[in-house]
Amino acid sequence: MKTAGLILLLLAALDLLMLALLLGTVWIAHRAVRQKAAEEGEFVPSASQDFRLLFGLLVTGLIILGLLSLLLLST
């Protein structure tokens, strides 16, 4: 049972890593769109609040994952 828990924990960690990479990619793309729009004199509203929220959720997920791993490995 402990092995299955460790496998699930590793897969969850991999999932969070992929989410972090996806968030970074979307942030870079959004920044490029904003810069291009600024060069053309157009306005694209900032999504920084959305990115802060998503980053906060990602960090919360990492903390929960760490606590679960401590619980799983200590039993």
Side-chain angles (χ1 to χ4, degrees):
M1 186 66 176
K2 201 171 201 178
T3 303
L6 287 173
I7 291 171
L8 287 174
L9 188 63
L10 288 173
L11 290 175
L14 183 63
D15 187 40
L16 283 174
L17 176 66
M18 291 297 118
L19 286 173
L21 290 173
L22 177 64
L23 180 61
T25 303
V26 171
W27 179 72
I28 290 171
H30 175 69
R31 196 169 124 203
V33 167
R34 285 196 55 160
Q35 287 176 349
K36 185 175 180 184
E39 290 172 359
E40 296 174 359
E42 297 176 7
F43 176 73
V44 174
S46 175
S48 63
Q49 290 181 350
D50 296 333
F51 285 117
R52 275 187 242 139
L53 174 67
L54 290 173
F55 184 74
L57 291 173
L58 183 66
V59 169
T60 303
L62 286 172
I63 291 170
I64 291 171
L65 185 62
L67 292 173
L68 287 175
S69 66
L70 285 175
L71 180 67
L72 179 67
L73 295 174
S74 67
T75 57

